[in-house]
Amino acid sequence: MILHGHGLSPGFFEGHAHVLDAAAWIAAAEQVAPLGGPERELERLRAAQARACTQLERVQIQLSHQGRKEDAEIFAAHALMMRDPAVLQRVERGIAANGLSAEAAVAEATAAFHAEFEASPLSMARDKAADVLDIGHRLLRCLDPRVESQVLHGDPTVLVASMLTPSELVRFAHQGPCAALTESCGPKSHTAILARSLDIPLLTGIELPAEKVAEGELVLVDAVSGFAVVNPTGEEVDLATRIRAALVRVSSEEPRPRQPVTRDGVAVRLALNIADPKQAELVPRFGASGVGLFRTEF
């Protein structure tokens, strides 16, 4: 099967599908019963919100120290949204007026806000729909860690989702090599910005990808030409072979950075400061000779 879309972050990739279904965790959270009365659920909500804000501030600080200012601003915006009175009031109203658990109230508010952003005529607002899911999912994980997404143990993975949140992308990027297929994602969305920053091939515009691709299926991604091949057979094998050849070519290409030399011909030795092991991969790209400082406290 060939899936056509357009690449928001170019690259080639081969891996097995991992399907992410936001509707599933929202539906599961909506079924959670209260642990106590409204006051108890409101206390749980406020404690979870405080934990979520602390997490977001830590991520923001870490990215800032890495020199990734644009990425840090994404999670700063998430922290602002997490504290937005309009968001909290809708969740609190679900608890106080409707007797919902904190989990069910968060899920209900997340679904409602997400639908409003998705229906907006403004592309800027639609691009923030994934951030709404991200914030709701984080709040649910802080209420109940069992909501956490599956760990994939470093296998090459193609994430398949209607909409991929920034936090999901970052989390899976640190579990191992990955690419992503989505139905909707704007070129200026936070997910697309992070994908380009992390060199993760991202293909979007695929209708109902989570219904077309099953968990564990082999997927080859060409986010340069704008298509993916799922479990290739027949004529599709030729396309898969082309993608594999491109992967070999890209992996065998030696970076050819310009040697750091001053205008009067003096060679300069550069070393990168990093705060994340993935950044060590950038050393040859920038003509650096190694790592000068590795901030391991993060």
Side-chain angles (χ1 to χ4, degrees):
M1 177 171 56
I2 301 173
L3 303 176
H4 294 278
H6 55 275
L8 294 184
S9 178
F12 305 93
F13 196 83
E14 178 177 1
H16 289 89
H18 178 50
V19 181
L20 301 170
D21 187 358
W25 58 256
I26 288 175
E30 288 176 334
Q31 302 304 312
V32 176
L35 296 179
E39 284 302 319
R40 167 67 173 141
E41 294 302 306
L42 287 170
E43 287 177 7
R44 295 181 61 235
L45 172 66
R46 289 161 188 156
Q49 182 213 11
R51 286 194 291 274
C53 288
T54 298
Q55 289 177 2
L56 288 166
E57 288 164 1
R58 286 175 178 168
V59 173
Q60 181 188 352
I61 291 170
Q62 178 179 350
L63 293 172
S64 296
H65 279 293
Q66 294 174 9
R68 292 162 59 185
K69 182 180 178 182
E70 190 174 26
D71 294 350
E73 288 172 352
I74 292 171
F75 291 94
H78 283 199
L80 285 174
M81 293 176 74
M82 186 70 75
R83 295 188 179 95
D84 188 337
V87 175
L88 291 176
Q89 286 169 9
R90 183 173 291 193
V91 179
E92 290 172 348
R93 190 162 55 247
I95 295 171
N98 302 327
L100 299 178
S101 67
E103 288 88 347
V106 168
E108 187 178 87
T110 299
F113 275 118
H114 178 257
E116 291 171 11
F117 275 74
E118 277 276 85
S120 173
L122 301 175
S123 61
M124 184 179 295
R126 293 195 300 273
D127 284 347
K128 298 296 184 290
D131 297 280
V132 172
L133 287 179
D134 207 337
I135 290 161
H137 202 189
R138 183 179 294 276
L139 200 47
L140 282 174
R141 291 198 304 272
C142 288
L143 282 164
D144 183 354
R146 289 173 295 181
V147 176
E148 186 61 73
S149 296
Q150 176 183 349
V151 177
L152 300 177
H153 306 298
D155 294 330
T157 303
V158 178
L159 304 172
V160 180
S162 173
M163 181 176 289
L164 189 63
T165 72
S167 289
E168 285 172 333
L169 185 68
V170 170
R171 183 164 61 252
F172 285 112
H174 279 267
Q175 290 180 19
C178 67
L181 306 179
T182 70
E183 181 168 11
S184 61
C185 184
K188 296 182 180 178
S189 69
H190 288 161
T191 300
I193 291 169
L194 284 168
R196 290 190 288 268
S197 171
L198 295 168
D199 287 330
I200 295 173
L202 171 59
L203 195 64
T204 193
I206 299 171
E207 186 177 359
L208 302 174
E211 295 183 13
K212 294 176 179 176
V213 183
E215 182 74 24
E217 284 192 302
L218 179 67
V219 182
L220 293 99
V221 179
D222 180 347
V224 175
S225 299
F227 66 89
V229 184
V230 183
N231 282 345
T233 58
E235 294 180 358
E236 298 165 1
V237 173
D238 291 336
L239 284 176
T241 301
R242 280 169 42 194
I243 295 174
R244 288 187 175 117
L247 275 167
V248 171
R249 184 177 67 252
V250 170
S251 63
S252 63
E253 288 177 350
E254 289 293 329
R256 297 181 179 177
R258 188 172 63 182
Q259 176 66 34
V261 178
T262 63
R263 289 181 180 178
D264 56 350
V266 178
V268 178
R269 182 177 181 273
L270 295 181
L272 294 189
N273 287 355
I274 68 172
D276 186 309
K278 288 185 70 65
Q279 290 182 301
E281 300 167 9
L282 300 176
V283 168
R285 184 183 304 179
F286 293 126
S289 57
V291 172
L293 172 66
F294 183 9
R295 300 180 64 93
T296 57
E297 67 268 30
F298 298 117

